[in-house]
Amino acid sequence: MLRSILVALDDTPGAQAARDAAFALARRTGAKLTVAVVLDRPHTDSDHEFVPIGGAAFKARRDAKLAAQAEADATAALAACAARAGDTPYEVLRLEDAPEPALLAAGAAHDLIIVGRDSTLGREETEDGVAPVIEELLKDGTKPLLVVPPEGARADGPVLAAYDGSSPARAALRALGTLGLTESSPVIVATVGDAATATEGAAARPGATALALGGDDEAAAILGAVSSHHARMLVIGAFGSGVLKRLLAGSLTHTLIRDAKVPVLLARSGA
């Protein structure tokens, strides 16, 4: 049962889509919603930075400007959030730390974390349009993560789970059911090249359909299935073996997050 959601706010298209998806999910499930803005004090006021002689005044002016910009960005994101909320209640968190430790700490108290695929969360630069905080939340976090693309979320369609038999893949399927994110949608459990593994995964989800995908390009096969089946969500395990065996950076997981036109639910074993 989904009881609490944390969504990270900023002004990127993905973060705005994530905000809207979080509100929609909170309305459907009744889950408590918390919205977070990241002020990133370590990067707007660094006490450990080397300052050359005569540079203290410059640093003070620069830090003040960065802090003011962070506050202005947070205020704008919260104002836009309030305008979209309607009568849906939510709480606000103003996180002072850098994005990774701030969201790791805040996310530990929630059942699901939602982030925009391209979220900058202040001053972070994205690589290939994928927010750096995503890898940290998967590597060191304990809660399922929903990554929302700038295209937003579809209201209907099946849920497609990419399954390779690994413990992270099983964890992702469990999270899908435990959080109630399937709602009334059919579930398709897809495996590249191995019908038996797909059948094994489908057996773990009552009513799920097994799908064996062909081809040598795993990412293309999975994304093609998402498109051809008009899926509204892709579910994958993070840091698994087999199909999903590599770390996020430069991996199949990274490719699926980067190129999927639908939200991607990720979980890892132990999460």
Side-chain angles (χ1 to χ4, degrees), residues 105-129:
H110 296 80
D111 296 324
L112 177 66
I113 304 171
I114 304 181
V115 299
R117 184 177 69 198
D118 58 354
S119 291
T120 57
L121 299 176
R123 302 178 62 219
E124 288 204 323
E125 294 184 3
T126 62
E127 179 182 352
D128 290 340

Side-chain angles (χ1 to χ4, degrees), residues 160-183:
L160 190 139
Y163 185 79
D164 64 354
S166 67
S167 56
R170 292 194 296 271
L173 276 178
R174 284 197 304 272
L176 180 67
T178 301
L179 298 177
L181 298 182
T182 58
E183 301 176 70

Side-chain angles (χ1 to χ4, degrees), residues 11-158:
D11 63 353
T12 57
Q16 293 169 15
R19 174 203 64 205
D20 293 347
F23 274 120
L25 188 56
R27 293 182 188 114
R28 290 196 302 269
T29 64
K32 178 182 175 181
L33 177 61
T34 301
V35 302
V37 289
V38 180
L39 298 176
D40 198 356
R41 299 299 187 197
H43 293 103
T44 59
D45 185 15
S46 176
D47 292 332
H48 303 290
E49 180 182 352
F50 171 76
V51 179
I53 296 174
F58 170 81
K59 179 182 181 301
R61 290 193 298 270
R62 185 205 61 188
D63 288 353
K65 183 178 180 180
L66 291 174
Q69 185 63 56
E71 288 285 355
D73 291 345
T75 298
L78 290 171
C81 183
R84 300 289 288 185
D87 59 358
T88 304
Y90 63 93
E91 294 185 358
V92 174
L93 273 182
R94 295 170 61 86
L95 303 176
E96 303 284 328
D97 209 344
E100 287 81 1
L103 289 177
L104 280 169
H110 296 80
D111 296 324
L112 177 66
I113 304 171
I114 304 181
V115 299
R117 184 177 69 198
D118 58 354
S119 291
T120 57
L121 299 176
R123 302 178 62 219
E124 288 204 323
E125 294 184 3
T126 62
E127 179 182 352
D128 290 340
V130 178
V133 73
I134 292 171
E135 181 168 5
E136 297 303 316
L137 290 171
L138 292 174
K139 182 165 64 71
D140 296 327
T142 61
K143 298 303 173 70
L145 178 67
L146 186 65
V147 178
V148 181
E151 293 86 350
R154 298 175 184 169
D156 54 15

Side-chain angles (χ1 to χ4, degrees), residues 206-271:
T209 302
L211 176 65
L213 302 175
D216 297 326
D217 188 328
E218 297 168 342
I222 293 168
L223 293 171
V226 169
S227 177
S228 63
H229 288 82
H230 305 288
R232 67 174 180 84
M233 183 188 299
L234 174 61
V235 180
I236 58 178
F239 310 150
S241 60
V243 172
L244 304 174
K245 66 185 178 182
R246 289 154 289 185
L247 292 179
L248 179 58
S251 71
L252 173 64
T253 307
H254 179 90
T255 300
L256 294 175
I257 293 171
R258 183 193 66 201
D259 294 344
K261 304 300 183 186
V262 298
V264 180
L265 177 69
L266 301 109
R268 62 181 180 83
S269 58

